[in-house]
Each structure stands twice: as structure tokens, then as C-alpha cells.
Amino acid sequence: MGLTVAVLAATNLAVHRSGDLPGLVIAVGVSALLLGVLRWAGGTWQDAGLGTGTWARGARWALTLIGLVAVVYLAGALLPATRTLFEDQRYEDLTGGDLLLRAFVLVPVGTVLLEEIAFRGVLYGLVRRARGAVWATAVSSLLFGTWHVLPSLHLSTAKPALTSVFGESALGASLAVLGAVLFTGAAGVLFCELRRRSGSLLAPMGLHWAVNALGYLFGHLLR
């Protein structure tokens, strides 16, 4: 597990200092490396949630979760009280092509593939083999929350809804980062539970993609 954590720490720095294309290459390469670490440690595809017998069940879970997120986002976009939550300055200069690139390439490969293989696949699988599902969920979710420190550094100024809460001070930015870490850590618990209940990594992959990619879509449409 120590090797996996070390790889993730180095990857976190590399991904957030690189551009889109290098980030994709890093994501694919590190995903393959982590699966190699799992196999080297005696793990199986089943431990990673990628056993062939789980694909159909995992796909059904994933499609259902994508549909639920779409319904929730649509309701949020239609209600005036929640529509402002989609506002994000990072969407302002996105073209239609940029949106498609993010939703169908950068998010599924650069974010979902890497993070799910790392946290709900390899890390979860290794810890569960040694300590059980509760420990696996705790360790995976804690590190998943920590993983989001760097991408959350400018969150309080990027989203107007958060700026109104945290302001633009250094303290506000720090509180926004802390909130993001706690939120993503809690999301990690949910993703791990989906992984456990479905027996497949495809379930958390589907939810993870829907939350991120559909967020871009609705944010873009509501500019």
C-alpha cells in the first residue's frame, strides 16, 4: 500500500502542473502502473472491481446512477433557488468543442479512470484484502479527500456561490479547500459503498463521470 500512496502523491503533483494532453498521458500511464502494483502484490482483477463477471451488473448500476444525476441536475437547473449553484467562472470561455472534450475525454480518462482505479480499485482492493471493507473505505476516502487539496485552491473565487460564503480572503480560500476536502472525502465513502455493493468499479465510475461531466454540461448551458 505504501508504494501505491507514493505513486499517488507524485501523480497528484504532476497532473495538476501539466496541461490537458500530458495529464491524459499521465492518467493512463499511472492507471496501468497501479494495476501492475496490485498484481505484483498478489491482487486480482476481482480485487480491483474489474472481474469480467461483474461488468454487466456494474454497467447497470452505472447507467442507473447517471440517469439519477441527470434528473437531479435538471431539477436544480430549473429551480431559481438552486440555479446559481451551477455558476462557475471556469465555464465562461468554454466553447462547444471544449465542452465535449472535457465531458467525453478529459473527465472520463483524466479524472474518472485514474481516480477510480487508484482509490476504489487498487487502494481499496489492497486494504480490503489486508484489513477488511471498513478500513478500505476509511483509508481510500481519507486519501481521496486529500487528493483534492490542489484542485480546490482557487475554488472560493471560481464559483460565485462559494465566494458569497467564504469571500476572497486567504482565510476564506483555506476554509473552501477544507470544505472541498471534507466533501470529497464523504463522496469517497459513497463511491466505496457503491463499489462494495455492486462488486464492480463501473458503478462508482458511472456516478463520478455523471457528477463531473454533467456538471460541466449544465454549467455551460446556464452561463
Side-chain angles (χ1 to χ4, degrees), residues 54-77:
T54 69
W55 292 359
R57 178 178 173 82
R60 290 194 296 270
W61 275 77
L63 291 173
T64 300
L65 291 164
I66 290 170
L68 288 174
V69 172
V71 170
V72 171
Y73 276 12
L74 179 60

Side-chain angles (χ1 to χ4, degrees), residues 24-154:
L24 289 176
V25 174
I26 292 171
V28 173
V30 171
S31 296
L33 174 62
L34 290 173
L35 289 172
V37 169
L38 176 72
R39 299 288 288 176
W40 173 76
T44 66
W45 293 117
Q46 193 74 24
D47 289 322
L50 295 171
T52 54
T54 69
W55 292 359
R57 178 178 173 82
R60 290 194 296 270
W61 275 77
L63 291 173
T64 300
L65 291 164
I66 290 170
L68 288 174
V69 172
V71 170
V72 171
Y73 276 12
L74 179 60
L78 294 176
L79 295 173
T82 54
R83 188 177 301 155
T84 57
L85 296 176
F86 291 94
E87 295 178 4
D88 193 319
Q89 293 180 2
R90 294 171 294 183
Y91 303 149
E92 289 183 355
D93 298 324
L94 283 184
T95 65
D98 293 331
L99 178 66
L100 294 177
L101 177 65
R102 287 181 179 273
F104 297 105
V105 179
L106 298 180
V107 168
V109 178
T111 299
V112 175
L113 177 71
L114 172 59
E115 294 182 3
E116 291 307 320
I117 284 179
F119 295 101
R120 264 69 64 179
V122 174
L123 190 60
Y124 180 90
L126 289 174
V127 178
R128 189 175 69 169
R129 281 170 62 89
R131 302 293 298 272
V134 173
W135 269 96
T137 297
V139 172
S140 171
S141 302
L142 176 63
L143 293 177
F144 185 59
T146 305
W147 173 271
H148 287 83
V149 169
L150 289 179
S152 303
L153 291 179
H154 304 290

